Amino acid sequence: MVALTTAIGLMSGTSMDGIDVAVLRTDGEAVVQQGPSLFVPYDDAFRARIEAGLKTAKTIAKRAERPGDLAELERDLTLRHAQAVQAFRTQYQDWRAELVGFHGQTILHRPGEALTVQLGDGALLARETGLPVVYDMRAADMTAGGQGAPLVPAYHQALANSLAPDFRAKMPVAFVNIGGISNVTYVPADGDPIAFDSGPGNQLIDQWMQREGDMAFDEDGNTAAKGSSSAKIVGDYLRLPFFSYPAPKSLDRGDFSLAGLEGLSLSDGARTLAALAAEAVFAARNHMPEEPELWILCGGGRKNPHIVGDLRRLAGTTGTVVVAAEDVGLDGDAMEAEAWAYLAVRSQQGLPLTWPATTGCRKPMPGGVLVQP
């Protein structure tokens, strides 16, 4: 009988809106049993502290550096994660976790300099929760020449192999996580996955709404629904060098800006950036060996009807199908947190988290740091 580990995964992504908590039981390879999930939002003041921390982080030259108030921010962020774990364990007492996978908050990602920084004190989290914690899962990949991202493809591959037969027959499958930054995992019928960041997702839309509309995001795409997309501006973005770079490749939150949208109305800007998010995902097919037969969407961007509608229209031109994660029995909100639980188990067992085709590392790489409470 295969030994399963029950692990909690914690994810705080580029949207910086809060902590996703999810639990699963897995052998770290093929067997995945998903459990419940929970979202714990950050208050506006704490989110503002993280945004300020992004600016401070630009001065970091070495991973261990915590200039300014980043050390205090790291401690407070870790304690919030500990509180999220406690809230989850109180609510779902039937799932007795043995391990925690802790992503932390990325504040700097410069793959060209082999530098990535995630705020998060694994030892403190282990003490606070009383559970072993695996964290710092990107660093080993970078020491092996990788981009340090994306890391979720190992989990995407396990999910693809667990799909119902009708969906599994549609290999190759592309998983698309539309968060602040979008990333794509191409899962072939045989062999290792191919993965890379594909471009901006929700991040630019959120920044636009905050700057021009004093709103955190475009809820349900309501603002974009009143506007029109500028094909010229979308085309200008798609001609930026990033889109011609070969895969694997990864992005930092600051790699794209709102430059070029000046003069647009609030609604036209929101609609244009939604179109860009869809076009960037669709352009990812240029870096795939074959056309995926099925696109599976997860992340917050799958709830934007304009991103999804545009992507479905584009995919229709090639005869491929776009579905939400829920359409194939998965949880599109919890998938990244689930992935960190899955990766923690793989890390504990010394299994690879990344491959040359997912991050550009020289060989399949294990990773992560395990700390005991």
Side-chain angles (χ1 to χ4, degrees):
M1 184 174 178
V2 177
L4 302 181
T5 300
T6 302
I8 287 175
L10 301 171
M11 182 68 197
S12 179
T14 52
S15 296
M16 303 181 301
D17 53 353
I19 304 164
D20 288 305
V21 188
V23 66
L24 53 75
R25 294 189 182 105
T26 181
D27 63 351
E29 297 189 73
V31 179
V32 177
Q33 300 172 1
Q34 289 100 340
S37 61
L38 180 70
F39 176 67
V40 181
Y42 292 138
D43 58 76
D44 291 344
F46 191 71
R47 182 173 179 176
R49 286 180 62 192
I50 298 175
E51 290 175 345
L54 297 177
K55 298 175 183 177
T56 305
K58 292 178 181 179
T59 66
I60 293 176
K62 297 181 180 179
R63 292 185 61 248
E65 292 179 354
R66 296 293 185 267
D69 62 354
L70 289 183
E72 182 182 359
L73 177 61
E74 181 168 52
R75 174 178 171 81
D76 290 348
L77 181 136
T78 303
L79 292 175
R80 278 170 168 77
H81 278 72
Q83 291 164 3
V85 170
Q86 184 55 47
F88 184 88
R89 295 166 80 184
T90 298
Q91 187 168 342
Y92 300 108
Q93 297 183 26
D94 290 343
W95 289 79
R96 297 186 180 276
E98 306 161 69
L99 186 68
V100 174
F102 181 26
H103 177 271
Q105 181 69 54
T106 298
I107 56 170
L108 185 69
H109 186 70
R110 293 178 182 163
E113 302 172 22
L115 179 62
T116 188
V117 180
Q118 286 74 45
L119 291 184
D121 184 335
L124 174 59
L125 184 65
R127 291 195 300 272
E128 290 290 320
T129 62
L131 292 170
V133 171
V134 177
Y135 74 114
D136 198 16
M137 296 193 215
R138 300 186 188 275
D141 177 81
M142 282 192 153
T143 63
Q147 296 264 320
L151 262 65
V152 181
Y155 186 53
H156 285 160
Q157 185 174 46
L159 291 180
N161 291 328
S162 71
L163 292 172
D166 287 351
F167 294 113
R168 197 162 62 248
K170 294 185 180 295
M171 296 281 206
V173 170
F175 282 84
V176 184
N177 177 56
I178 309 175
I181 292 168
S182 294
N183 55 68
V184 177
T185 302
Y186 172 90
V187 182
D190 295 297
D192 295 337
I194 296 171
F196 49 95
D197 285 350
S198 57
N202 300 317
Q203 171 193 326
L204 291 182
I205 302 173
D206 294 349
Q207 289 177 3
W208 177 257
M209 296 301 296
Q210 291 160 20
R211 193 184 83 177
E212 302 294 324
D214 197 26
M215 291 180 275
F217 62 100
D218 185 11
E219 187 171 4
D220 298 326
N222 290 330
T223 299
K226 303 169 187 174
S228 299
S229 172
S230 167
K232 177 185 181 304
I233 292 175
V234 171
D236 289 343
Y237 273 106
L238 294 176
R239 282 188 288 274
L240 292 173
F242 171 80
F243 293 102
S244 62
Y245 294 161
K249 52 186 176 178
S250 61
L251 284 165
D252 180 61
R253 180 181 169 84
D255 286 343
F256 286 89
S257 74
L258 298 175
L261 275 74
E262 304 302 334
L264 290 187
S265 68
L266 176 66
S267 54
D268 285 352
R271 185 64 185 89
T272 297
L273 292 170
L276 170 63
E279 292 274 6
V281 168
F282 189 63
R285 56 196 274 277
N286 297 326
H287 302 288
M288 299 175 182
E290 297 179 56
E291 196 82 41
E293 292 195 29
L294 182 68
W295 300 80
I296 300 175
L297 306 185
C298 54
R302 81 191 190 289
K303 299 177 183 178
N304 185 309
H306 309 291
I307 297 176
V308 176
D310 286 355
L311 185 55
R312 282 189 169 137
R313 174 181 55 78
L314 292 165
T317 65
T318 61
T320 57
V321 178
V322 175
V323 299
E326 288 72 16
D327 296 330
V328 295
L330 303 175
D331 186 335
D333 285 326
M335 196 177 294
E336 278 203 292
E338 290 172 358
W340 244 254
Y342 178 79
L343 291 170
V345 176
R346 288 184 69 85
S347 174
Q348 191 180 43
Q349 296 177 1
L351 296 170
L353 308 188
T354 59
W355 292 266
T358 62
T359 65
C361 54
R362 289 184 289 273
K363 61 180 181 179
M365 283 299 297
V369 176
L370 174 65
V371 289
Q372 299 292 338

